[in-house]
Amino acid sequence: MNKTALVTGATSGIGYAIAEELISRGRQVVITGRDQERVEEAAAKLGAQAFGIRADVAGSADMDALYDRIAERHGHLDAVIANAASGHHSVLGSITEEEFDLTFSVNVKGVLHTVQKALPLMRPGGSITVIGSTASIHPPYGMGLYGGAKAAIRNFLRSWIQDTKGSGIRMNVLSPGAVDTESLRGALAKAFGADGVAAQLEAMGAGSPIGRIADPREIATVAAFLAGDDAAFVHGVELFVDGGMAQV
């Protein structure tokens, strides 16, 4: 029986790596993003087992349309990976209402839409994984908004596993630390210049007990585990995939 997964925010980085890993394990994967061209490019690159749909997770109508199309095309979902996220670096005293609204709209309301609207398409044995962050417990300087949003979704799941008791649907949070993605490299280049990226990545890795930052595929393999039958009794946890950073 074909199994179908949804990965939001999957045009690059961690989301793309998760989609790629799930496809390698035989899943049909629906990917989303806010830019139609990037969604189409990512789906084409992933191949015939991928199908892209433009959707903004913060938009209720967008998510209704997304799930309507999934219902028409696949009839059901076996796994949902709520990966779409947005973050701002703003220290207390300079945080704007616009930054607050965007951060919580995507990271909190977007997760609510993604999970709540998926439930009618899911069957017993299905899995929902929300991509969190070590910022939920150790927010870096200037990342209070992002850390607060990620802490909120952790507490969503503490309640939701009770709300859905008996459904057979599992829910977990997967919280990475620093991951070597295009977006991270872009942010470092903007802050330190293109020539400073390598040094900054090395410095970030040096602060980790494992001595480096993660490759996106290392997050993807754990996401695939949580979405699969081998994790059938893993429910309601926040699993830190961060080289030990959350433990020190």
Side-chain angles (χ1 to χ4, degrees):
M1 179 175 60
N2 288 335
K3 290 191 173 184
T4 301
L6 166 68
V7 186
T8 64
T11 57
S12 64
I14 292 172
Y16 182 90
I18 292 171
E20 193 171 41
E21 182 65 25
L22 291 170
I23 287 170
S24 76
R25 300 184 184 208
R27 299 272 183 136
Q28 300 287 318
V29 177
V30 178
I31 66 167
T32 76
R34 288 183 289 184
D35 183 278
Q36 181 67 40
E37 185 176 350
R38 293 189 68 191
V39 170
E40 291 174 359
E41 289 176 354
K45 188 176 176 183
L46 287 166
Q49 287 175 249
F51 182 66
I53 302 174
R54 195 216 69 82
D56 180 350
V57 295
S60 181
D62 270 21
M63 296 305 284
D64 286 339
L66 167 69
Y67 286 121
D68 284 346
R69 292 188 67 185
I70 292 173
E72 291 170 5
R73 184 179 178 90
H74 297 285
H76 70 279
L77 278 169
D78 299 285
V80 172
I81 295 86
N83 170 73
S86 178
H88 282 280
H89 291 75
S90 295
V91 299
L92 187 64
S94 66
I95 297 170
T96 67
E97 186 172 1
E98 181 182 11
E99 290 170 338
F100 176 89
D101 288 346
L102 178 60
T103 301
F104 276 77
S105 181
V106 175
N107 295 294
V108 181
K109 184 169 68 172
V111 168
L112 172 62
H113 286 334
T114 301
V115 174
Q116 183 164 259
K117 293 175 184 291
L119 292 177
L121 290 178
M122 301 199 73
R123 305 179 294 187
S127 171
I128 294 172
T129 304
V130 179
I131 303 301
S133 170
T134 53
S136 67
I137 60 169
H138 291 314
Y141 175 81
M143 292 292 285
L145 285 179
Y146 186 73
K150 291 300 185 179
I153 62 175
R154 173 65 184 106
N155 281 283
F156 271 172
L157 264 73
R158 286 191 170 102
S159 176
W160 291 349
I161 63 170
Q162 300 174 71
D163 295 346
T164 57
K165 183 177 180 180
S167 69
I169 299 169
R170 296 181 297 105
M171 299 187 191
N172 296 289
V173 179
L174 190 170
S175 289
V179 182
D180 190 353
T181 62
E182 178 183 325
S183 62
L184 175 59
R185 286 178 175 265
L188 292 175
K190 184 176 180 180
F192 300 101
D195 293 339
V197 171
Q200 291 301 315
L201 290 174
E202 185 176 351
M204 292 171 72
S208 165
I210 209 167
R212 61 178 177 82
I213 67 173
D215 182 272
R217 189 172 182 276
E218 293 175 304
I219 310 303
T221 54
V222 179
F225 161 73
L226 289 174
D229 294 339
D230 287 343
F233 208 61
V234 182
H235 188 34
V237 306
E238 180 169 18
L239 178 56
F240 290 98
V241 186
D242 65 345
M245 283 296 292
Q247 309 307 317
V248 297

